[in-house]
Amino acid sequence: MVGLGAHINELDTPALLLDLDALERNIETMAEYIRGVPAELRPHEKTHKCPIIAHKQLEAGAIGITCAKLGEAEAMAAAGIRDILIANQVVGEPKVTRLVNLAKHSDIIVAVESNGNVRHLAEAARMKGVRLNVIIEVDVGNNRCGTAPGEPTLELARDIASHPSLNMRGLMGYEGFCQNIIDLEERREKATGAMAELVSTRDLLDDKGFSTEIVSAGGTGTHMITAEYPGVTEVEAGSYIFMDATYSRVEGLEKYDPALTVLSTITSLPRPGIAICDAGRKTITFEPNRPMPRVKGLEGISYEASSEEHGRLSVEGGPGLRMGDKIEFIVSHCCTNVNLYDQYHCLRDDHLEAVWEITARGRSQ
Amino acid sequence: MVGLGAHINELDTPALLLDLDALERNIETMAEYIRGVPAELRPHEKTHKCPIIAHKQLEAGAIGITCAKLGEAEAMAAAGIRDILIANQVVGEPKVTRLVNLAKHSDIIVAVESNGNVRHLAEAARMKGVRLNVIIEVDVGNNRCGTAPGEPTLELARDIASHPSLNMRGLMGYEGFCQNIIDLEERREKATGAMAELVSTRDLLDDKGFSTEIVSAGGTGTHMITAEYPGVTEVEAGSYIFMDATYSRVEGLEKYDPALTVLSTITSLPRPGIAICDAGRKTITFEPNRPMPRVKGLEGISYEASSEEHGRLSVEGGPGLRMGDKIEFIVSHCCTNVNLYDQYHCLRDDHLEAVWEITARGRSQ
């Protein structure tokens, strides 16, 4: 409700804040890194769900964007973005119809991994009169979707080639299980093993004459490994723009700054050593096996526990907090956290410079 | 995108479904229980965030509703609901100004627990020309907000009485720490202890001549204890209308039926025994110390793991699932789950009867 130019302390809470200097630094830091390696960057939009941020990534040199869901891709296409990889399967009606219609307005690439889905996509593309770009999702150890590396992937490539309405573009292999491994060498070993499976599968398809111009992999935790692995052509990192308490622990990401916080108000000081704030699980996501939110800029205060609309802080070692004081938290997991909010309040030097809609929030269909 | 009357299998996924027969049964089951006990029901709106559901609860005999946040109360007041308890502190500008303005259009009662907040509310109410209803939040062991029972609560009551613009209505004590205790007798013992502290504090205030017409407590897990505890005048249960995988384990709630599910599609069958669906943590919340979502209506299938947009199912013992099959999950925690969605798809006999907006989703300010 406050206007642009307002000071951070005038903002109502809980609010999702974006530090624009940190965001811009993170975008440029990654762009600079990518300029020095063979792979390109196709950053993941699922982290921010916000068209203007995607456009900033493209302006900084990204070759396109990655989306998790068709609904996100539709939102980004509506904002004028053409080159979009949906790093997921689009299954069943009405989604397949939506997909081939969207392909008339954007250069969509979609991940496939089963014959039935390939057949469905091919038929829908043929009926609509589009040639749909597909990429095979290979399971490189993530224990989720994907064809097995090697022969099963080759089999699916043969199937795709039999459909003139499909355009085989390459392979994708997401080593998600590596992203949060704290130790860089352990992460490197596991991610390298995953990339070896992906690239050897690419070699097999190349040998058989199948087009594999794209080999897509990597997240924020592994981008410095996958982007340098010979044969990987693009990386899908997303969280580097915001960072969070989870990635702050992961070795090798020190050059990225926390840009995303939740602003909260102290609403109760019930006992010495304890403060209660108004940011709970409906405004800061808290998932198993992830660290608690971290207090930004204040020593000796920790976020101890949360319920739906309350956070409990241990303030024993910190500065004296008063009722109504504002406090900022670096969230536990940026991607799920953004999905709770409709807007970013974007600050520079602690003053509100913009309010950006999180257009693709909740677009999980 | 499908029209009313559509069959459940025509709905796109992930979608939040509401079984209207189960919802109506749950509302009536609670209403019938409440008719037989001394306490009244003021159900918690934070569970559903949806005006039409609140109106149905009122039609069934609820004396008003409870909200967690001012933004929720504003949404409910805009839908014509007058009697609203905000079971939380409203702290700082601009919220206090919003609160006293809302008090011109609804019979708002707000929880207080500190002198500074009381002073702020009193001054704002005086300036606006309203007499604001307040209730003291007493900490009955929840280790969150609230005055300590006994003398500290009496002190705050004296402070409130010194402000003519405030109308002291009573006490509130939420025994949240008892709600999910599975064993009924253990829960009864702990909740009874909490109520003893609350009601003895009420007695102390009564003795001193302070108005305590309201003594509010209880959630779904404890309503059958608190509603029968002498001196408690109203209970705040909310989740009974939907139930979830957490409350399904809690003894004594067997007469309430699961009404809230997430409809999902099988998008991958990567290996024997495993299926992947399109409902992950952005559509089914997963918090520490809560059970996994439960599959509705199919034996031998369990939800094993989730990432942001994928759920991994163990299907070893279940019926053969095919790509594109629809599957329903009883969510882990109904209150946070609802906050991810903009709409309920409301079904009766597996056909779409209504689409209800979740008006107060994200209204955490």
Side-chain angles (χ1 to χ4, degrees):
Chain A
M1 303 284 274
V2 300
L4 297 187
H7 187 265
I8 183 172
N9 284 335
E10 298 176 69
L11 300 179
D12 203 359
T13 66
L16 189 66
L17 304 189
L18 196 43
D19 176 336
L20 291 170
D21 283 335
L23 173 75
E24 291 168 6
R25 270 199 308 276
N26 291 340
I27 290 174
E28 178 49 31
T29 298
M30 179 63 85
E32 191 185 335
Y33 168 75
I34 289 291
R35 285 193 289 270
V37 296
E40 300 286 353
L41 177 68
R42 185 191 290 279
H44 216 310
E45 164 277 349
K46 69 168 179 154
T47 303
H48 54 71
K49 291 174 170 271
C50 176
I52 190 173
I53 299 178
H55 278 293
K56 285 178 188 292
Q57 292 173 310
L58 293 168
E59 283 163 23
I63 59 166
I65 64 166
T66 305
C67 291
K69 287 292 181 104
L70 174 58
E72 296 173 11
E74 288 170 332
M76 295 301 126
I81 294 174
R82 286 207 64 88
D83 201 327
I84 302 174
L85 165 63
I86 301 176
N88 204 340
Q89 287 70 59
V90 173
V91 173
E93 288 298 340
K95 288 196 183 76
V96 169
T97 298
R98 285 165 52 199
L99 177 67
V100 296
N101 279 274
L102 184 62
K104 295 289 276 188
H105 301 276
S106 268
D107 302 320
I108 294 286
I109 309 167
V110 66
V112 295
E113 47 109 72
S114 74
N115 302 97
N117 186 223
V118 162
R119 204 161 46 239
H120 191 182
L121 294 177
E123 178 62 13
R126 190 182 65 76
M127 297 286 287
K128 181 66 192 175
V130 295
R131 188 142 189 255
L132 185 66
N133 298 303
V134 299
I135 196 172
I136 300 178
E137 178 167 0
V138 182
D139 181 1
V140 293
N142 213 32
N143 193 16
R144 206 166 66 182
C145 310
T147 55
E151 200 60 37
T153 302
L154 178 63
E155 281 304 311
L156 191 63
R158 287 199 176 102
D159 185 17
I160 293 167
S162 74
H163 296 287
S165 61
L166 299 182
N167 185 20
M168 166 72 173
R169 298 291 298 278
L171 304 179
M172 171 191 129
Y174 181 53
E175 70 292 9
F177 62 103
C178 303
Q179 300 306 326
N180 297 345
I181 297 173
I182 291 173
D183 181 73
L184 179 58
E185 286 318 306
E186 183 190 346
R187 197 175 343 124
R188 187 183 303 279
E189 190 190 321
K190 291 194 170 151
T192 299
M195 291 307 99
E197 296 214 80
L198 184 63
V199 172
S200 68
T201 301
R202 193 276 317 257
D203 291 343
L204 176 66
L205 268 65
D206 268 2
D207 283 352
K208 303 293 181 182
F210 293 102
S211 172
T212 54
E213 57 182 306
I214 296 175
V215 178
S216 176
T220 291
T222 59
H223 77 276
M224 72 295 271
I225 303 159
T226 51
E228 299 180 24
Y229 192 93
V232 172
T233 66
E234 51 187 71
V235 292
E236 301 176 10
S239 300
Y240 72 96
I241 55 163
F242 292 157
M243 296 296 288
D244 57 27
T246 304
Y247 270 131
S248 294
R249 305 186 304 183
V250 171
E251 211 186 335
L253 298 175
E254 295 76 10
K255 61 185 176 177
Y256 297 99
D257 296 323
L260 186 80
T261 55
V262 167
L263 185 70
S264 177
T265 298
I266 302 299
T267 55
S268 174
L269 296 166
R271 289 170 299 289
I274 297 291
I276 306 295
C277 71
D278 64 359
R281 294 185 189 185
K282 282 179 174 167
T283 48
I284 301 183
T285 50
F286 183 36
E287 301 164 51
N289 304 317
R290 287 188 179 263
M292 281 287 180
R294 277 179 33 217
V295 178
K296 180 178 167 187
L298 294 175
E299 295 294 320
I301 300 180
S302 60
Y303 192 105
E304 272 197 339
S306 60
S307 46
E308 287 169 46
E309 298 284 11
H310 297 80
R312 194 175 74 225
L313 311 179
S314 166
V315 299
E316 208 80 63
L321 288 175
R322 292 158 309 176
M323 286 282 291
D325 278 356
K326 302 280 172 75
I327 186 166
E328 268 182 275
F329 300 104
I330 297 165
V331 303
S332 176
H333 181 195
C334 59
C335 300
T336 51
N337 214 107
V338 163
N339 196 44
L340 297 176
Y341 286 83
D342 293 304
Q343 297 177 324
Y344 297 103
H345 281 75
C346 307
L347 296 148
R348 199 183 307 271
D349 298 330
D350 283 342
H351 288 81
L352 188 66
E353 181 172 300
V355 178
W356 291 342
E357 298 298 319
I358 303 176
T359 314
R361 183 207 65 75
R363 300 276 179 95
S364 286
Q365 287 194 340
Chain B
M1 304 284 275
V2 300
L4 297 187
H7 187 265
I8 183 172
N9 283 335
E10 297 175 70
L11 300 179
D12 204 358
T13 65
L16 189 66
L17 304 189
L18 196 44
D19 176 335
L20 291 170
D21 283 335
L23 173 75
E24 291 168 5
R25 270 198 308 276
N26 290 341
I27 290 174
E28 178 50 30
T29 299
M30 179 63 84
E32 191 185 335
Y33 168 75
I34 289 292
R35 286 193 290 270
V37 296
E40 300 286 352
L41 177 68
R42 185 191 290 279
H44 216 310
E45 165 277 349
K46 70 168 180 156
T47 304
H48 55 71
K49 292 175 169 271
C50 177
I52 190 173
I53 299 178
H55 278 292
K56 285 178 187 293
Q57 292 173 311
L58 293 168
E59 283 163 22
I63 59 165
I65 63 166
T66 305
C67 291
K69 287 292 181 104
L70 175 58
E72 296 173 11
E74 288 170 333
M76 295 301 127
I81 294 175
R82 287 207 63 89
D83 201 326
I84 302 174
L85 165 63
I86 301 175
N88 204 340
Q89 287 71 59
V90 173
V91 172
E93 287 299 339
K95 288 195 182 76
V96 169
T97 298
R98 285 164 53 199
L99 177 67
V100 296
N101 279 274
L102 184 63
K104 294 290 276 189
H105 301 276
S106 268
D107 302 320
I108 294 287
I109 310 167
V110 66
V112 295
E113 46 110 71
S114 74
N115 301 98
N117 186 224
V118 162
R119 203 160 47 237
H120 191 181
L121 294 177
E123 178 62 13
R126 190 182 65 76
M127 297 285 287
K128 181 66 192 174
V130 295
R131 189 142 188 256
L132 185 66
N133 298 303
V134 299
I135 195 172
I136 299 177
E137 178 167 0
V138 182
D139 181 1
V140 293
N142 213 32
N143 193 16
R144 207 166 65 182
C145 310
T147 55
E151 199 60 37
T153 302
L154 178 62
E155 281 304 310
L156 191 63
R158 286 199 177 103
D159 185 17
I160 293 167
S162 74
H163 296 287
S165 60
L166 299 182
N167 185 20
M168 167 72 173
R169 298 291 297 278
L171 304 179
M172 171 191 129
Y174 181 53
E175 70 292 10
F177 62 103
C178 303
Q179 299 306 326
N180 297 345
I181 297 172
I182 292 173
D183 181 74
L184 179 58
E185 285 318 306
E186 183 190 347
R187 196 175 344 124
R188 187 183 302 280
E189 191 190 320
K190 290 193 171 151
T192 300
M195 290 307 98
E197 297 214 79
L198 184 63
V199 172
S200 68
T201 301
R202 194 276 317 258
D203 292 343
L204 175 66
L205 268 66
D206 268 2
D207 283 351
K208 303 292 181 182
F210 293 101
S211 172
T212 55
E213 58 183 305
I214 296 175
V215 177
S216 176
T220 291
T222 59
H223 77 275
M224 72 295 272
I225 303 159
T226 51
E228 299 179 24
Y229 192 92
V232 172
T233 66
E234 51 187 72
V235 292
E236 300 176 10
S239 300
Y240 72 96
I241 55 163
F242 291 157
M243 295 296 288
D244 57 27
T246 304
Y247 270 131
S248 294
R249 306 186 304 183
V250 171
E251 210 186 335
L253 298 174
E254 295 76 10
K255 61 185 176 177
Y256 297 99
D257 296 323
L260 185 80
T261 55
V262 167
L263 185 70
S264 178
T265 298
I266 301 299
T267 54
S268 174
L269 296 166
R271 289 170 299 288
I274 297 291
I276 305 295
C277 72
D278 64 358
R281 294 185 188 185
K282 282 180 174 166
T283 48
I284 301 183
T285 50
F286 182 36
E287 300 165 51
N289 305 317
R290 287 188 178 264
M292 281 287 179
R294 277 179 34 215
V295 178
K296 180 178 166 186
L298 294 174
E299 294 294 320
I301 300 180
S302 59
Y303 193 104
E304 272 196 340
S306 60
S307 46
E308 287 169 46
E309 298 284 10
H310 297 81
R312 194 175 73 224
L313 311 179
S314 166
V315 299
E316 208 80 63
L321 288 175
R322 292 157 309 175
M323 287 281 291
D325 278 356
K326 302 280 172 74
I327 186 166
E328 268 182 273
F329 299 105
I330 296 165
V331 303
S332 175
H333 181 195
C334 59
C335 300
T336 51
N337 214 106
V338 163
N339 196 45
L340 298 176
Y341 287 83
D342 293 305
Q343 297 176 325
Y344 297 103
H345 281 76
C346 307
L347 296 147
R348 198 183 307 271
D349 297 331
D350 283 341
H351 288 80
L352 188 66
E353 181 172 302
V355 178
W356 291 342
E357 298 298 319
I358 303 175
T359 314
R361 184 208 65 76
R363 300 275 179 96
S364 286
Q365 288 193 341

